mmCIF file of all heavy atoms in Angstrom:
data_model
loop_
_atom_site.group_PDB
_atom_site.id
_atom_site.type_symbol
_atom_site.label_atom_id
_atom_site.label_comp_id
_atom_site.label_asym_id
_atom_site.label_seq_id
_atom_site.Cartn_x
_atom_site.Cartn_y
_atom_site.Cartn_z
ATOM 1 N N SER O 1 6.868 -39.158 -21.858
ATOM 2 C CA SER O 1 6.736 -40.605 -21.482
ATOM 3 C C SER O 1 6.223 -40.900 -20.098
ATOM 4 O O SER O 1 5.907 -42.000 -19.704
ATOM 5 C CB SER O 1 8.059 -41.243 -21.739
ATOM 6 O OG SER O 1 9.023 -40.730 -20.845
ATOM 7 N N ALA O 2 6.187 -39.865 -19.217
ATOM 8 C CA ALA O 2 5.535 -40.220 -17.967
ATOM 9 C C ALA O 2 4.052 -40.430 -18.070
ATOM 10 O O ALA O 2 3.582 -40.887 -17.060
ATOM 11 C CB ALA O 2 5.697 -38.931 -17.036
ATOM 12 N N GLY O 3 3.406 -40.390 -19.241
ATOM 13 C CA GLY O 3 2.142 -40.675 -19.410
ATOM 14 C C GLY O 3 1.073 -39.462 -19.329
ATOM 15 O O GLY O 3 -0.003 -39.707 -19.448
ATOM 16 N N GLY O 4 1.584 -38.208 -19.017
ATOM 17 C CA GLY O 4 0.679 -37.228 -18.724
ATOM 18 C C GLY O 4 0.306 -36.403 -19.914
ATOM 19 O O GLY O 4 -0.593 -35.667 -19.911
ATOM 20 N N GLY O 5 1.207 -36.358 -20.990
ATOM 21 C CA GLY O 5 1.079 -35.556 -22.032
ATOM 22 C C GLY O 5 -0.017 -36.099 -23.126
ATOM 23 O O GLY O 5 -0.290 -37.241 -23.143
ATOM 24 N N SER O 6 -0.417 -35.137 -23.912
ATOM 25 C CA SER O 6 -1.416 -35.505 -24.940
ATOM 26 C C SER O 6 -1.018 -36.461 -26.015
ATOM 27 O O SER O 6 -1.583 -37.374 -26.604
ATOM 28 C CB SER O 6 -2.108 -34.224 -25.514
ATOM 29 O OG SER O 6 -1.093 -33.415 -26.155
ATOM 30 N N ALA O 7 0.298 -36.172 -26.469
ATOM 31 C CA ALA O 7 0.928 -37.040 -27.589
ATOM 32 C C ALA O 7 1.074 -38.490 -27.049
ATOM 33 O O ALA O 7 0.860 -39.443 -27.770
ATOM 34 C CB ALA O 7 2.155 -36.508 -28.040
ATOM 35 N N TRP O 8 1.524 -38.635 -25.776
ATOM 36 C CA TRP O 8 1.633 -39.986 -25.183
ATOM 37 C C TRP O 8 0.260 -40.618 -25.131
ATOM 38 O O TRP O 8 0.032 -41.858 -25.507
ATOM 39 C CB TRP O 8 2.239 -39.789 -23.747
ATOM 40 C CG TRP O 8 2.176 -41.253 -23.008
ATOM 41 C CD1 TRP O 8 1.087 -41.627 -22.252
ATOM 42 C CD2 TRP O 8 3.108 -42.276 -23.124
ATOM 43 N NE1 TRP O 8 1.450 -43.035 -21.789
ATOM 44 C CE2 TRP O 8 2.657 -43.335 -22.380
ATOM 45 C CE3 TRP O 8 4.365 -42.431 -23.775
ATOM 46 C CZ2 TRP O 8 3.284 -44.528 -22.324
ATOM 47 C CZ3 TRP O 8 4.913 -43.659 -23.731
ATOM 48 C CH2 TRP O 8 4.573 -44.697 -22.882
ATOM 49 N N LYS O 9 -0.753 -39.898 -24.608
ATOM 50 C CA LYS O 9 -2.127 -40.583 -24.604
ATOM 51 C C LYS O 9 -2.690 -41.000 -25.968
ATOM 52 O O LYS O 9 -3.275 -42.002 -26.126
ATOM 53 C CB LYS O 9 -3.088 -39.440 -23.942
ATOM 54 C CG LYS O 9 -4.523 -39.795 -23.923
ATOM 55 C CD LYS O 9 -4.722 -40.848 -22.775
ATOM 56 C CE LYS O 9 -6.320 -41.071 -22.461
ATOM 57 N NZ LYS O 9 -6.666 -42.302 -22.825
ATOM 58 N N ILE O 10 -2.480 -40.131 -26.958
ATOM 59 C CA ILE O 10 -2.920 -40.491 -28.328
ATOM 60 C C ILE O 10 -2.170 -41.774 -28.860
ATOM 61 O O ILE O 10 -2.845 -42.742 -29.276
ATOM 62 C CB ILE O 10 -2.691 -39.211 -29.277
ATOM 63 C CG1 ILE O 10 -3.632 -38.124 -28.940
ATOM 64 C CG2 ILE O 10 -2.863 -39.613 -30.778
ATOM 65 C CD1 ILE O 10 -3.216 -36.758 -29.535
ATOM 66 N N ALA O 11 -0.857 -41.727 -28.566
ATOM 67 C CA ALA O 11 -0.101 -42.913 -29.001
ATOM 68 C C ALA O 11 -0.501 -44.224 -28.235
ATOM 69 O O ALA O 11 -0.690 -45.219 -28.788
ATOM 70 C CB ALA O 11 1.374 -42.602 -28.923
ATOM 71 N N ALA O 12 -0.647 -44.040 -26.943
ATOM 72 C CA ALA O 12 -0.989 -45.164 -26.061
ATOM 73 C C ALA O 12 -2.345 -45.794 -26.491
ATOM 74 O O ALA O 12 -2.553 -46.968 -26.217
ATOM 75 C CB ALA O 12 -0.887 -44.646 -24.530
ATOM 76 N N ASP O 13 -3.232 -45.028 -26.983
ATOM 77 C CA ASP O 13 -4.584 -45.586 -27.156
ATOM 78 C C ASP O 13 -4.626 -46.111 -28.610
ATOM 79 O O ASP O 13 -5.759 -46.640 -29.004
ATOM 80 C CB ASP O 13 -5.535 -44.318 -27.202
ATOM 81 C CG ASP O 13 -5.871 -43.951 -25.851
ATOM 82 O OD1 ASP O 13 -5.667 -44.667 -24.779
ATOM 83 O OD2 ASP O 13 -6.485 -42.767 -25.586
ATOM 84 N N LEU O 14 -3.543 -46.213 -29.290
ATOM 85 C CA LEU O 14 -3.596 -46.845 -30.693
ATOM 86 C C LEU O 14 -3.751 -48.319 -30.487
ATOM 87 O O LEU O 14 -2.916 -48.921 -29.924
ATOM 88 C CB LEU O 14 -2.249 -46.446 -31.434
ATOM 89 C CG LEU O 14 -2.224 -46.896 -32.849
ATOM 90 C CD1 LEU O 14 -3.163 -46.034 -33.646
ATOM 91 C CD2 LEU O 14 -0.698 -46.848 -33.502
ATOM 92 N N PRO O 15 -4.706 -48.928 -31.156
ATOM 93 C CA PRO O 15 -4.861 -50.438 -31.124
ATOM 94 C C PRO O 15 -3.808 -51.109 -31.896
ATOM 95 O O PRO O 15 -3.353 -50.734 -32.986
ATOM 96 C CB PRO O 15 -6.345 -50.669 -31.697
ATOM 97 C CG PRO O 15 -6.522 -49.368 -32.580
ATOM 98 C CD PRO O 15 -5.768 -48.386 -31.960
ATOM 99 N N ASP O 16 -3.418 -52.217 -31.393
ATOM 100 C CA ASP O 16 -2.626 -53.188 -32.275
ATOM 101 C C ASP O 16 -3.315 -53.657 -33.500
ATOM 102 O O ASP O 16 -4.460 -54.129 -33.328
ATOM 103 C CB ASP O 16 -2.190 -54.368 -31.357
ATOM 104 C CG ASP O 16 -1.160 -55.281 -32.041
ATOM 105 O OD1 ASP O 16 -0.049 -54.918 -32.233
ATOM 106 O OD2 ASP O 16 -1.779 -56.346 -32.576
ATOM 107 N N PRO O 17 -2.672 -53.649 -34.636
ATOM 108 C CA PRO O 17 -3.425 -54.048 -35.864
ATOM 109 C C PRO O 17 -3.779 -55.505 -35.936
ATOM 110 O O PRO O 17 -4.710 -55.891 -36.605
ATOM 111 C CB PRO O 17 -2.452 -53.601 -37.000
ATOM 112 C CG PRO O 17 -1.207 -53.483 -36.343
ATOM 113 C CD PRO O 17 -1.358 -53.115 -35.033
ATOM 114 N N GLU O 18 -2.955 -56.373 -35.260
ATOM 115 C CA GLU O 18 -3.236 -57.788 -35.273
ATOM 116 C C GLU O 18 -4.249 -58.218 -34.157
ATOM 117 O O GLU O 18 -4.883 -59.289 -34.307
ATOM 118 C CB GLU O 18 -1.866 -58.587 -35.176
ATOM 119 C CG GLU O 18 -1.099 -58.438 -36.448
ATOM 120 C CD GLU O 18 0.228 -59.065 -36.319
ATOM 121 O OE1 GLU O 18 0.688 -59.329 -35.217
ATOM 122 O OE2 GLU O 18 0.800 -59.379 -37.357
ATOM 123 N N LEU O 19 -4.149 -57.533 -33.016
ATOM 124 C CA LEU O 19 -4.939 -57.949 -31.845
ATOM 125 C C LEU O 19 -5.692 -56.530 -31.477
ATOM 126 O O LEU O 19 -5.257 -55.932 -30.479
ATOM 127 C CB LEU O 19 -4.230 -58.427 -30.786
ATOM 128 C CG LEU O 19 -3.598 -59.837 -31.085
ATOM 129 C CD1 LEU O 19 -2.403 -60.151 -30.047
ATOM 130 C CD2 LEU O 19 -4.670 -60.865 -30.848
ATOM 131 N N PRO O 20 -6.667 -55.991 -32.236
ATOM 132 C CA PRO O 20 -7.263 -54.681 -31.879
ATOM 133 C C PRO O 20 -7.889 -54.605 -30.629
ATOM 134 O O PRO O 20 -8.238 -53.451 -30.168
ATOM 135 C CB PRO O 20 -8.192 -54.513 -33.049
ATOM 136 C CG PRO O 20 -8.593 -55.943 -33.561
ATOM 137 C CD PRO O 20 -7.359 -56.753 -33.301
ATOM 138 N N VAL O 21 -8.035 -55.587 -29.792
ATOM 139 C CA VAL O 21 -8.629 -55.422 -28.507
ATOM 140 C C VAL O 21 -7.589 -54.934 -27.480
ATOM 141 O O VAL O 21 -7.958 -54.474 -26.386
ATOM 142 C CB VAL O 21 -9.110 -56.933 -28.014
ATOM 143 C CG1 VAL O 21 -8.102 -57.828 -27.685
ATOM 144 C CG2 VAL O 21 -10.065 -56.653 -26.920
ATOM 145 N N VAL O 22 -6.283 -54.842 -27.821
ATOM 146 C CA VAL O 22 -5.341 -54.231 -26.961
ATOM 147 C C VAL O 22 -4.651 -53.105 -27.649
ATOM 148 O O VAL O 22 -4.550 -53.065 -28.840
ATOM 149 C CB VAL O 22 -4.248 -55.344 -26.487
ATOM 150 C CG1 VAL O 22 -4.866 -56.331 -25.532
ATOM 151 C CG2 VAL O 22 -3.634 -56.085 -27.779
ATOM 152 N N THR O 23 -4.073 -52.179 -26.863
ATOM 153 C CA THR O 23 -3.326 -51.046 -27.535
ATOM 154 C C THR O 23 -1.832 -51.438 -27.571
ATOM 155 O O THR O 23 -1.378 -52.248 -26.858
ATOM 156 C CB THR O 23 -3.612 -49.791 -26.689
ATOM 157 O OG1 THR O 23 -2.971 -50.013 -25.382
ATOM 158 C CG2 THR O 23 -5.127 -49.503 -26.532
ATOM 159 N N ILE O 24 -1.122 -50.445 -28.250
ATOM 160 C CA ILE O 24 0.306 -50.737 -28.193
ATOM 161 C C ILE O 24 0.955 -50.595 -26.854
ATOM 162 O O ILE O 24 2.023 -51.060 -26.476
ATOM 163 C CB ILE O 24 1.038 -49.819 -29.395
ATOM 164 C CG1 ILE O 24 0.876 -48.384 -29.144
ATOM 165 C CG2 ILE O 24 0.522 -50.385 -30.762
ATOM 166 C CD1 ILE O 24 1.556 -47.600 -30.122
ATOM 167 N N ALA O 25 0.302 -49.645 -26.070
ATOM 168 C CA ALA O 25 0.759 -49.532 -24.739
ATOM 169 C C ALA O 25 0.448 -50.616 -23.758
ATOM 170 O O ALA O 25 1.273 -51.112 -22.935
ATOM 171 C CB ALA O 25 0.094 -48.184 -24.026
ATOM 172 N N ASP O 26 -0.747 -51.393 -24.067
ATOM 173 C CA ASP O 26 -1.102 -52.442 -23.255
ATOM 174 C C ASP O 26 -0.104 -53.454 -23.537
ATOM 175 O O ASP O 26 0.334 -54.279 -22.588
ATOM 176 C CB ASP O 26 -2.466 -53.054 -23.735
ATOM 177 C CG ASP O 26 -3.656 -52.186 -23.311
ATOM 178 O OD1 ASP O 26 -3.582 -51.466 -22.259
ATOM 179 O OD2 ASP O 26 -4.693 -52.370 -23.969
ATOM 180 N N LEU O 27 0.324 -53.681 -24.669
ATOM 181 C CA LEU O 27 1.312 -54.777 -25.098
ATOM 182 C C LEU O 27 2.712 -54.427 -24.649
ATOM 183 O O LEU O 27 3.527 -55.272 -24.638
ATOM 184 C CB LEU O 27 1.370 -54.921 -26.724
ATOM 185 C CG LEU O 27 0.075 -55.655 -27.245
ATOM 186 C CD1 LEU O 27 0.327 -55.609 -28.839
ATOM 187 C CD2 LEU O 27 0.064 -57.142 -26.771
ATOM 188 N N GLY O 28 3.003 -53.135 -24.383
ATOM 189 C CA GLY O 28 4.352 -52.820 -23.909
ATOM 190 C C GLY O 28 5.287 -52.486 -24.898
ATOM 191 O O GLY O 28 6.579 -52.329 -24.679
ATOM 192 N N ILE O 29 4.828 -52.244 -26.234
ATOM 193 C CA ILE O 29 5.716 -51.907 -27.218
ATOM 194 C C ILE O 29 5.968 -50.480 -27.501
ATOM 195 O O ILE O 29 6.861 -50.034 -27.949
ATOM 196 C CB ILE O 29 5.380 -52.645 -28.605
ATOM 197 C CG1 ILE O 29 4.004 -51.933 -29.056
ATOM 198 C CG2 ILE O 29 5.316 -54.105 -28.593
ATOM 199 C CD1 ILE O 29 3.549 -52.429 -30.482
ATOM 200 N N LEU O 30 5.104 -49.648 -26.712
ATOM 201 C CA LEU O 30 5.216 -48.089 -26.853
ATOM 202 C C LEU O 30 6.270 -47.875 -25.649
ATOM 203 O O LEU O 30 6.034 -48.090 -24.461
ATOM 204 C CB LEU O 30 3.959 -47.498 -26.544
ATOM 205 C CG LEU O 30 4.036 -45.922 -26.476
ATOM 206 C CD1 LEU O 30 4.330 -45.420 -27.866
ATOM 207 C CD2 LEU O 30 2.539 -45.500 -26.151
ATOM 208 N N ARG O 31 7.407 -47.346 -26.125
ATOM 209 C CA ARG O 31 8.484 -47.158 -25.150
ATOM 210 C C ARG O 31 8.501 -45.665 -24.592
ATOM 211 O O ARG O 31 8.853 -45.459 -23.493
ATOM 212 C CB ARG O 31 9.788 -47.529 -25.688
ATOM 213 C CG ARG O 31 9.976 -49.022 -26.201
ATOM 214 C CD ARG O 31 10.048 -49.935 -24.939
ATOM 215 N NE ARG O 31 11.242 -49.826 -24.186
ATOM 216 C CZ ARG O 31 12.467 -50.228 -24.558
ATOM 217 N NH1 ARG O 31 12.502 -51.074 -25.597
ATOM 218 N NH2 ARG O 31 13.440 -50.051 -23.830
ATOM 219 N N ASP O 32 8.455 -44.680 -25.633
ATOM 220 C CA ASP O 32 8.666 -43.382 -25.088
ATOM 221 C C ASP O 32 7.960 -42.563 -26.138
ATOM 222 O O ASP O 32 7.796 -42.880 -27.409
ATOM 223 C CB ASP O 32 10.146 -43.082 -25.189
ATOM 224 C CG ASP O 32 10.471 -41.737 -24.493
ATOM 225 O OD1 ASP O 32 9.680 -41.258 -23.642
ATOM 226 O OD2 ASP O 32 11.571 -41.228 -24.858
ATOM 227 N N VAL O 33 7.442 -41.366 -25.806
ATOM 228 C CA VAL O 33 6.920 -40.298 -26.650
ATOM 229 C C VAL O 33 7.430 -38.942 -26.112
ATOM 230 O O VAL O 33 7.276 -38.640 -24.832
ATOM 231 C CB VAL O 33 5.388 -40.324 -26.561
ATOM 232 C CG1 VAL O 33 4.817 -39.226 -27.473
ATOM 233 C CG2 VAL O 33 4.830 -41.723 -27.110
ATOM 234 N N THR O 34 7.994 -38.166 -27.050
ATOM 235 C CA THR O 34 8.384 -36.862 -26.529
ATOM 236 C C THR O 34 7.777 -35.861 -27.436
ATOM 237 O O THR O 34 7.598 -36.257 -28.802
ATOM 238 C CB THR O 34 10.005 -36.707 -26.738
ATOM 239 O OG1 THR O 34 10.512 -37.049 -27.875
ATOM 240 C CG2 THR O 34 10.612 -37.670 -25.563
ATOM 241 N N GLU O 35 7.465 -34.808 -27.035
ATOM 242 C CA GLU O 35 6.899 -33.675 -28.047
ATOM 243 C C GLU O 35 7.480 -32.305 -27.602
ATOM 244 O O GLU O 35 7.994 -32.188 -26.465
ATOM 245 C CB GLU O 35 5.437 -33.565 -27.894
ATOM 246 C CG GLU O 35 4.799 -33.203 -26.583
ATOM 247 C CD GLU O 35 3.333 -33.034 -26.617
ATOM 248 O OE1 GLU O 35 2.719 -32.303 -27.222
ATOM 249 O OE2 GLU O 35 2.755 -33.978 -26.039
#
């Protein structure tokens, strides 16, 4: 979740389905990713 891992980066780049111009990380809904 510190933002340095590849799973975090992949998840953070996912576009929001209703507003595809922003990612789920941009919106702040991505809270944590662990691998």
